[in-house]
Amino acid sequence: MATIVLLVVLVVIVLWVIGAYNHLIALKNQVANAWKQIDVQLKRRHDLIPNLVNTVKGAMEFERGTLEAVIAARNKAVGATGVKQTAQAEGELTQALGRLFALTEAYPDLKANQNVLQLQEELTSTENKVGFARQLYNDTATQYNTKQATFPTLLVAGLAKATPAELWEIEDAAERAVPNVDLSFNKPAT
């Protein structure tokens, strides 16, 4: 009787190890997939930027430094590897694009140009998709990290070659800053 109980316990342990291992592998693959989703959206963003720069180049001849900053930031972002380096490079690119969009407001021809408006809309849409993809990635990576660090699954983490996934974090203080909104109305003194 003791042999049967021992055998049942052993089978349960083996089945649990197999299940935990498979779950960690599934989460690891989900993290990789979530990262690829970010990569797809960033590729789209990187492809749109040269079109935008070429569209505004002629009208913004005096803003050459801004256009060059956008292209340099894009090139840095394209060459970035890893979560941390990519997040930093994409933050710099977002700032450079923000300066470019702000400058286009000063040029009436650009504000009315349908190509510029369409490219800005596509970039804004892509930015939203990147944001959603980053959120999915961080959620999936956190789930994976939690699973591999909690007992008893951490006993199997080494077998699954599970290592913590790096989260996408905002490191730039300007990106992290909360916008200042002032809703007070200055009433003339009566």
Side-chain angles (χ1 to χ4, degrees), residues 21-174:
Y21 177 89
N22 287 342
H23 192 204
L24 283 172
I25 296 299
L27 285 172
K28 187 181 204 178
N29 289 336
Q30 288 174 10
V31 169
N33 178 53
W35 178 252
K36 293 301 179 191
Q37 296 305 318
I38 291 173
D39 195 42
V40 166
Q41 297 307 324
L42 293 178
K43 170 83 168 88
R44 175 171 166 66
R45 179 186 197 206
H46 299 157
D47 289 348
L48 287 169
I49 290 170
N51 294 334
L52 177 65
V53 169
N54 287 333
T55 303
V56 301
K57 192 184 292 184
M60 295 180 70
E61 194 58 42
F62 297 109
E63 309 296 347
R64 188 168 215 56
T66 301
L67 296 175
E68 289 171 356
V70 169
I71 292 299
R74 177 202 176 266
N75 291 341
K76 183 176 180 182
V78 167
T81 58
V83 176
K84 187 173 183 171
Q85 187 181 24
T86 300
Q88 182 179 7
E90 290 299 329
E92 292 172 17
L93 180 55
T94 297
Q95 287 182 349
L97 283 172
R99 288 189 295 273
L100 177 63
F101 288 160
L103 282 174
T104 59
E105 293 296 316
Y107 292 86
D109 290 346
L110 289 178
K111 281 174 65 172
N113 184 315
Q114 286 299 353
N115 288 340
V116 172
L117 294 174
Q118 181 182 0
L119 286 167
Q120 283 180 326
E121 178 61 34
E122 286 184 43
L123 275 169
T124 300
S125 173
T126 301
E127 292 295 326
N128 290 335
K129 291 175 184 175
V130 168
F132 290 129
R134 285 191 302 224
Q135 181 180 354
L136 174 66
Y137 171 80
N138 277 349
D139 290 346
T140 306
T142 299
Q143 184 181 10
Y144 175 60
N145 290 345
T146 301
K147 190 68 170 178
Q148 66 180 291
T150 55
F151 186 82
T153 311
L154 68 89
L155 300 173
V156 181
L159 291 173
K161 297 182 181 151
T163 57
E166 197 172 352
L167 296 178
W168 183 295
E169 297 180 56
I170 297 173
E171 294 190 10
D172 184 16

